[in-house]
Amino acid sequence: MSKQQEERFVLTYKEGKMTQRMVLVDRKTGVNYLYVGSGYGGGLSVLLDAEGAPIVTEIEE
């Protein structure tokens, strides 16, 4: 896959079977997101630090 076709998000953490919890990192911004899914429902939220700022991770290509 070329750099332009590379997927935007990187899966950095995953746990659970019936209720899944995953942390995704945006390759462009480095912002971390938490996804929680259960059955037919799910939700996505920005992960925040203690001060309320988004958690940002540097992605090495």
Side-chain angles (χ1 to χ4, degrees):
M1 195 178 276
S2 73
K3 282 214 179 232
Q4 275 190 314
Q5 294 175 335
E6 208 169 275
E7 293 185 12
R8 173 119 185 214
F9 294 93
V10 177
L11 177 65
T12 60
Y13 178 80
K14 181 178 180 181
E15 74 175 21
K17 294 187 187 228
M18 294 298 286
T19 300
Q20 291 189 351
R21 290 165 296 281
M22 295 184 272
V23 175
L24 304 161
V25 178
D26 185 333
R27 286 182 190 267
K28 283 190 172 185
T29 64
V31 174
N32 287 245
Y33 296 89
L34 174 66
Y35 170 79
V36 178
S38 181
Y40 293 110
L44 184 70
S45 179
V46 174
L47 281 176
L48 304 175
D49 64 15
E51 285 79 40
I55 296 176
V56 178
T57 303
E58 289 189 32
I59 300 293
E60 295 180 18
E61 298 297 325

